[in-house]
Amino acid sequence: MTKRRPLIAGNWKMHLDVASAAALAREVANKVSRARHCDIAVMPPHPLIPAVARVLDGSPIGYGAQDISAEEEGAFTGEVSARMLLSLGCTYAIVGHSERREYHLESDVLVHAKTVMALKAGLIPVVCVGEKLAERKAEKTLHRIRTQVETALKGLDDSVGRVVLAYEPIWAIGTGLTATPAQAEEVHEFIRGVVDSMYGAQVAEKIRILYGGSVKPDNASALMSEKDVDGALVGGASLTAESFAGIVNYGD
Ligand code: PEP
């Protein structure tokens, strides 16, 4: 079985400014750059990426964007293209975060188009999927996740192995509620099965599936010890170097 290298990624959402983002990147680099057991990345808001890049370039910490356009270029006011992000040195782009789906009405089909665009440009898409509380209560979690994963990954070429999936139950994002390790593992294992049915066992074994939803230093280790949990997408706790480092160093 392939050993998947975990990825711990911080989603800074719409926080910070040029000076505070550079300072946070510097503190994060100081605290985690000796970590060798996982890949580490931060996702600042678009205008703050160059300031973060100046700090992190040459360090083992990667960076990326919180969203990309599904379009290559053109008259799309306010959009940011994959090529622009690559030219800033980004490695990753979050795609289909639940806040984009909810507040910007992004559909599964749009998330697929963004995934295709990220891969085409050479970015690693971190594709978010997750169910609402009402869907979980109605026992529709796995149905919803299957639809999201199948639509996002439909018809990809060999680059599918570069995709990172992130299971983020919406009821756990920013709420302090975390899926139990067993709840997370149930869905992660299911997602890997969906990928297997689409692309075969080799791709399914290789693809990384992160967990996101109120990950904190004190729950990271238990979540990460589940067999299909390959890292974390961290919101609130990525905004201080101390708590982010506490998550990165979950094995210590
Ligand atoms: C997120 O927004 O991706 C997230 C997981 O947020 P939080 O860790 O704050 O729940």
Side-chain angles (χ1 to χ4, degrees):
M1 197 203 289
T2 332
K3 180 120 178 49
R4 295 177 293 272
R5 185 170 167 77
L7 167 64
I8 310 285
N11 171 12
W12 290 358
K13 307 197 184 188
M14 198 173 74
H15 293 292
L16 307 167
D17 58 19
V18 166
S20 55
L24 178 56
R26 213 168 287 118
E27 270 188 80
V28 167
N30 286 339
K31 285 196 190 300
V32 305
S33 51
R34 273 184 300 281
R36 293 284 174 268
H37 59 289
C38 64
D39 292 336
I40 305 165
V42 295
M43 277 66 160
H46 288 144
L48 308 185
I49 292 173
V52 169
R54 277 192 289 278
V55 175
L56 296 183
D57 280 343
S59 86
I61 304 168
Y63 51 91
Q66 297 170 17
D67 184 35
I68 60 167
S69 175
E71 303 294 336
E72 207 149 310
E73 70 170 317
F76 300 103
T77 303
E79 291 277 80
V80 173
S81 74
R83 190 157 66 89
M84 293 169 192
L85 296 169
L86 259 191
S87 72
L88 291 175
C90 288
T91 303
Y92 303 92
I94 298 175
V95 169
H97 190 278
S98 62
E99 288 151 15
R100 301 287 320 168
R101 292 176 187 262
E102 185 174 351
Y103 305 133
H104 301 271
L105 308 181
E106 293 197 2
S107 65
D108 292 349
V109 171
L110 182 63
V111 172
H112 171 252
K114 291 185 173 195
T115 304
V116 170
M117 184 55 70
L119 288 170
K120 186 174 163 202
L123 291 166
I124 297 175
V126 178
V127 181
C128 300
V129 298
E131 81 286 4
K132 295 183 177 149
L133 187 57
E135 290 167 330
R136 176 159 281 267
K137 284 187 172 158
E139 297 186 3
K140 290 190 174 141
T141 298
L142 299 184
H143 174 75
R144 180 73 192 111
I145 298 294
R146 177 188 291 283
T147 306
Q148 289 175 323
V149 173
E150 284 183 346
T151 311
L153 302 188
K154 196 168 147 206
L156 301 182
D157 58 19
D158 288 351
S159 61
V160 64
R162 293 185 23 245
V163 171
V164 173
L165 291 164
Y167 169 54
E168 299 210 306
I170 296 170
W171 48 272
I173 296 181
T175 58
L177 296 173
T178 317
T180 63
Q183 281 174 323
E185 174 58 21
E186 182 196 10
V187 179
H188 282 232
E189 190 179 30
F190 176 78
I191 291 173
R192 208 174 296 289
V194 173
V195 175
D196 187 339
S197 66
M198 296 177 79
Y199 291 102
Q202 231 180 325
V203 172
E205 275 307 314
K206 181 177 169 199
I207 214 158
R208 293 186 288 185
I209 308 172
L210 314 185
Y211 170 77
S214 299
V215 177
K216 305 274 183 279
D218 62 1
N219 60 24
S221 168
L223 287 159
M224 241 59 87
S225 63
E226 293 295 338
K227 99 177 150 39
D228 291 293
V229 177
D230 308 314
L233 183 55
V234 184
S238 69
L239 288 171
T240 71
E242 193 162 6
S243 54
F244 189 60
I247 294 168
V248 168
N249 299 320
Y250 59 87
D252 291 355

